[in-house]
Amino acid sequence: MILKWPVIFVGASPSEAPAMYSLLSYAAYALGTWYPVDTPDGMAAPAIGLAHLAEETGHVHIALNREIRKFLWKDSKATHVCFENDLCEKVDGVVAAADYQYVEQHLLPREFRRYSPSYWRRRVMSPGCLLFYIGLREGGNLSEIAHHTFFFDRDLDARLRDVFETHDEGSSDRRVFYVTKHENPRTLFVLVPISYRLERVDASLREEIRADVLRRMENVTGVNISSLIAYERIFGPSDFARDFHAWR
């Protein structure tokens, strides 16, 4: 079951994915998973390092927290990028690394779009997910939760059918999830895969999934994790859409 997990996030059920994608599992388990350590920047360290190298050339300016609202065009070429309040800056060209569907369907004029809205509606996408960021106070022995812990104590194949075929959240007795634990500070990161077509990921469903996740971790550890929570943030499909214009 563990070998099936990475393939889920390339957008296909393991039973349907090309065998080549097994290289993802090989890389993780044979070569290891590596993190930036000995740096206050943590997981952001590679990106920050690249930014510093670019700026040191003297030819790069990085503008943050400036959402692009549109492009201006001349002779089929983007000449300006425009931000809020119709503030536009001249550019020599554009390389867009944002969500493909959003850039094409919302920022490009219709005559420059390659795909139609109906094309996007028919696409099979990677699963959605519900993420839990949890900060814990000291207390209780959480040694039963390793740095990487997979809660596959349910029928994984049945859960994959929920996510990829029926697009139903299903019952909690089929829910699977992944947890990573970190010390100093003491944190838990929880990822719960859900269908990208699931319409109802409202507060009640988030709370239902949260309660199930905490209950199962508490059953394994024997620790009342809920009572140790000092910080918590839940991030789901609507948050990805709001913050990153992620489509499905």
Side-chain angles (χ1 to χ4, degrees):
M1 289 191 294
I2 290 176
L3 296 178
K4 295 179 179 180
W5 179 257
V7 179
I8 296 172
F9 295 97
V10 302
S13 171
S15 63
E16 301 291 335
M20 183 181 70
Y21 287 123
S22 62
L23 291 173
L24 293 170
S25 298
Y26 173 83
Y29 297 110
L31 304 178
T33 301
W34 301 87
Y35 298 95
V37 295
D38 301 325
T39 169
D41 297 325
M43 293 295 288
I48 292 172
L50 287 173
H52 288 332
L53 286 173
E55 291 174 324
E56 286 171 2
T57 67
H59 301 293
V60 175
H61 169 66
I62 298 176
L64 302 176
N65 298 316
R66 299 180 68 187
E67 181 180 345
I68 293 175
R69 301 296 178 87
K70 64 180 179 180
F71 303 132
L72 297 184
W73 301 83
K74 182 178 180 181
D75 299 328
S76 302
K77 181 180 178 180
T79 59
H80 295 74
V81 293
C82 300
F83 310 95
E84 60 183 7
N85 300 323
D86 287 328
L87 175 64
C88 299
E89 294 187 7
K90 191 175 186 304
V91 296
D92 295 322
V94 173
V95 177
D99 185 88
Y100 191 127
Q101 188 271 351
Y102 174 76
V103 172
E104 187 192 61
Q105 297 293 306
H106 296 273
L107 297 182
L108 294 186
R110 188 178 301 276
E111 61 268 26
F112 295 151
R113 297 173 190 172
R114 177 175 297 180
Y115 302 114
S116 66
S118 62
Y119 168 89
W120 286 104
R121 288 193 295 269
R122 295 194 305 269
R123 292 306 88 194
V124 175
M125 310 301 289
S126 297
C129 60
L130 201 57
L131 306 178
F132 297 83
Y133 301 89
I134 301 173
L136 299 174
R137 292 184 288 270
E138 292 299 322
N141 182 357
L142 299 182
S143 60
E144 292 296 326
I145 297 180
H147 180 62
H148 295 293
T149 301
F150 298 89
F151 280 77
F152 292 170
D153 50 331
R154 302 293 191 263
D155 186 338
L156 180 60
D157 290 329
R159 180 56 178 167
L160 291 176
R161 285 193 293 273
D162 292 338
V163 170
F164 285 100
E165 297 177 22
T166 65
H167 300 288
D168 181 19
E169 176 51 27
S171 59
S172 61
D173 61 358
R174 291 213 295 263
R175 191 172 292 137
V176 298
F177 58 96
Y178 160 78
V179 181
T180 184
K181 182 185 71 173
H182 191 273
E183 299 289 350
N184 302 318
R186 200 181 199 195
T187 58
L188 297 173
F189 168 81
V190 182
L191 185 154
V192 184
I194 58 177
S195 169
Y196 66 87
R197 288 185 179 176
L198 194 64
E199 298 294 337
R200 188 186 69 89
V201 192
D202 55 17
S204 63
L205 180 56
R206 290 184 180 213
E207 182 55 37
E208 175 191 326
I209 294 175
R210 174 187 181 274
D212 180 43
V213 165
L214 289 173
R215 180 174 58 253
R216 286 164 62 184
M217 287 195 294
E218 290 172 350
N219 289 341
V220 167
T221 62
V223 176
N224 185 350
I225 296 175
S226 301
S227 67
L228 301 177
I229 294 177
Y231 171 86
E232 182 176 15
R233 185 182 182 190
I234 303 175
F235 205 85
S238 60
D239 304 296
F240 282 104
R242 181 194 64 233
D243 293 354
F244 306 112
H245 297 298
W247 186 76
R248 290 187 171 179

